[in-house]
């Protein structure tokens, strides 16, 4: 299932993650540990957790390559045959490159009769042009799996298609006159009319650069007397409201967006494990340190304590490793 994706290179990652490059990295030693953990009756999940959560994406890819060369089998397939449940889902994610994991999650979100819109929001509202383009390339490489085109066309809900163009201006320029014009046009497309012109909202929010949009949000409050988030809540509902709010939140502060998503995945009765796993896996090597700080600032409790109180067993242990400690 994953063969055609193996050679997609990982994206350039930042340095605010909880996972950093392991010193003295020895893939052969790691392979020996993993083989021992899977040998015989039962599986040593603690060893699997120790190896995979203390290696970077690039180092994990090297482990997979050497495993295939020396053992002649696919590491991911061997692990999947030994594992189950949410622990398995975390391990599967950790063994993929960043764009492959995004594509894998998107594919699962839109296959079948329904759509997991939370996944579309988490990924499409927060990724850069380069990341979106790489995800598109993953889909093209997956043509033999009969899902090429689903991301860009008929299976993707209409409200998300503009994201796939990767057409956001990523400069730092702010056109003050255009910002006021955008603010007025958004107001006229929503608060000032009966019904909402979704296309106008999307065109502005998915194309303009971050600094320009922050100015648009300020101007919007001058024009309408409300924060744009309040207007979105008044004018929209359901998944449409969610996606527009997600865009605005990612523009204002991406780490707070992810902190809020994590909080909502765990608060109250039950846990939305799909969101919890996706964010913990995909952000561990990018900005998890910042997300943890934002979580503490917003909710007065550590992310570590929330995960510890809301999960259990080996699933809890692997997530806490990705979280990177109490503080």
């Amino acid at each position: 299932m994953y063969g055609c994706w193996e050679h997609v290179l990982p994206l350039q990652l930042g340095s605010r993650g909880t996972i950093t490059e392991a010193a003295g990295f020895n893939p052969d030693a790691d392979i020996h540990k993993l083989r021992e953990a899977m040998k015989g009756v039962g599986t040593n999940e603690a060893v699997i957790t120790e190896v995979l959560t203390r290696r970077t994406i690039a180092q994990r890819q090297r482990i997979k390559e050497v495993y295939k060369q020396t053992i002649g089998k696919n590491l991911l397939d061997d692990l999947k045959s030994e594992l189950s449940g949410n622990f398995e889902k975390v391990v599967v994610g950790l063994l993929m490159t960043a764009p492959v994991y995004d594509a894998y999650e998107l594919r699962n979100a839109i296959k079948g009769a329904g759509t997991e819109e939370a996944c579309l929001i988490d990924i499409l509202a927060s990724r850069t042009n380069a990341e979106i383009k790489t995800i598109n390339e993953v889909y093209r490489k997956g043509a033999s799996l009969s899902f090429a085109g689903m991301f860009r066309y008929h299976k993707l809900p209409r409200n998300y298609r503009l994201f796939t163009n990767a057409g956001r201006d990523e400069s730092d320029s702010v056109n003050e006159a255009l910002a006021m014009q955008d603010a007025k046009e958004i107001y006229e497309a929503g608060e000032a009319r009966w019904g909402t012109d979704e296309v106008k909202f999307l065109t502005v929010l998915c194309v303009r650069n971050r600094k320009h949009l922050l100015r648009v949000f300020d101007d919007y409050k001058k024009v309408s007397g409300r924060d744009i988030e309040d207007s979105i809540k008044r004018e929209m509902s359901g998944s449409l409201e969610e996606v527009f709010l997600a865009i605005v939140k990612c523009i204002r502060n991406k780490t707070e967006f992810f902190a809020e998503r994590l909080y909502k995945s765990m608060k109250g009765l039950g846990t939305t494990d799909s969101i919890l796993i996706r964010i913990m896996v995909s952000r561990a090597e990018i900005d998890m340190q910042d997300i943890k700080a934002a979580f503490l600032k917003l909710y007065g409790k550590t992310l570590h304590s929330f995960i510890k109180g809301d999960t259990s067993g080996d699933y809890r242990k692997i997530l806490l490793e990705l979280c990177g400690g109490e503080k």
Side-chain angles (χ1 to χ4, degrees), residues 13 75 119 226 257 310:
L13 301 180
L75 174 59
C119 175
R226 292 190 180 91
F257 165 76
D310 217 65

mmCIF file of all heavy atoms in Angstrom, residues 13 75 119 226 257 310:
data_model
loop_
_atom_site.group_PDB
_atom_site.id
_atom_site.type_symbol
_atom_site.label_atom_id
_atom_site.label_comp_id
_atom_site.label_asym_id
_atom_site.label_seq_id
_atom_site.Cartn_x
_atom_site.Cartn_y
_atom_site.Cartn_z
ATOM 1 N N LEU A 13 12.051 20.741 7.985
ATOM 2 C CA LEU A 13 11.364 20.945 9.244
ATOM 3 C C LEU A 13 12.078 21.965 10.104
ATOM 4 O O LEU A 13 13.260 22.237 9.931
ATOM 5 C CB LEU A 13 11.259 19.616 9.994
ATOM 6 C CG LEU A 13 10.499 18.505 9.234
ATOM 7 C CD1 LEU A 13 10.470 17.238 10.079
ATOM 8 C CD2 LEU A 13 9.106 18.924 8.858
ATOM 9 N N LEU A 75 9.433 -2.994 7.054
ATOM 10 C CA LEU A 75 9.328 -2.767 8.499
ATOM 11 C C LEU A 75 7.910 -2.391 8.901
ATOM 12 O O LEU A 75 7.387 -2.879 9.916
ATOM 13 C CB LEU A 75 10.305 -1.670 8.932
ATOM 14 C CG LEU A 75 10.215 -1.209 10.383
ATOM 15 C CD1 LEU A 75 10.456 -2.373 11.347
ATOM 16 C CD2 LEU A 75 11.190 -0.082 10.662
ATOM 17 N N CYS A 119 -10.012 16.394 9.649
ATOM 18 C CA CYS A 119 -8.701 16.137 9.033
ATOM 19 C C CYS A 119 -8.407 17.163 7.947
ATOM 20 O O CYS A 119 -7.293 17.692 7.863
ATOM 21 C CB CYS A 119 -8.681 14.731 8.439
ATOM 22 S SG CYS A 119 -7.172 14.353 7.521
ATOM 23 N N ARG A 226 -17.074 44.450 14.490
ATOM 24 C CA ARG A 226 -16.906 43.117 15.082
ATOM 25 C C ARG A 226 -15.595 42.494 14.625
ATOM 26 O O ARG A 226 -15.104 42.787 13.547
ATOM 27 C CB ARG A 226 -18.032 42.170 14.648
ATOM 28 C CG ARG A 226 -19.400 42.494 15.176
ATOM 29 C CD ARG A 226 -20.358 41.335 14.866
ATOM 30 N NE ARG A 226 -21.680 41.643 15.376
ATOM 31 C CZ ARG A 226 -22.619 42.260 14.672
ATOM 32 N NH1 ARG A 226 -22.372 42.631 13.429
ATOM 33 N NH2 ARG A 226 -23.791 42.514 15.223
ATOM 34 N N PHE A 257 -3.722 27.588 17.282
ATOM 35 C CA PHE A 257 -4.706 26.792 16.557
ATOM 36 C C PHE A 257 -4.542 25.315 16.905
ATOM 37 O O PHE A 257 -5.511 24.628 17.251
ATOM 38 C CB PHE A 257 -4.546 27.005 15.050
ATOM 39 C CG PHE A 257 -5.265 25.987 14.200
ATOM 40 C CD1 PHE A 257 -6.636 26.036 14.039
ATOM 41 C CD2 PHE A 257 -4.560 24.968 13.557
ATOM 42 C CE1 PHE A 257 -7.301 25.091 13.262
ATOM 43 C CE2 PHE A 257 -5.208 24.037 12.777
ATOM 44 C CZ PHE A 257 -6.585 24.096 12.625
ATOM 45 N N ASP A 310 -6.003 11.497 29.858
ATOM 46 C CA ASP A 310 -7.034 11.158 28.887
ATOM 47 C C ASP A 310 -6.744 9.890 28.101
ATOM 48 O O ASP A 310 -7.597 9.424 27.352
ATOM 49 C CB ASP A 310 -7.222 12.325 27.907
ATOM 50 C CG ASP A 310 -8.673 12.516 27.516
ATOM 51 O OD1 ASP A 310 -9.470 12.849 28.400
ATOM 52 O OD2 ASP A 310 -8.994 12.316 26.331
#
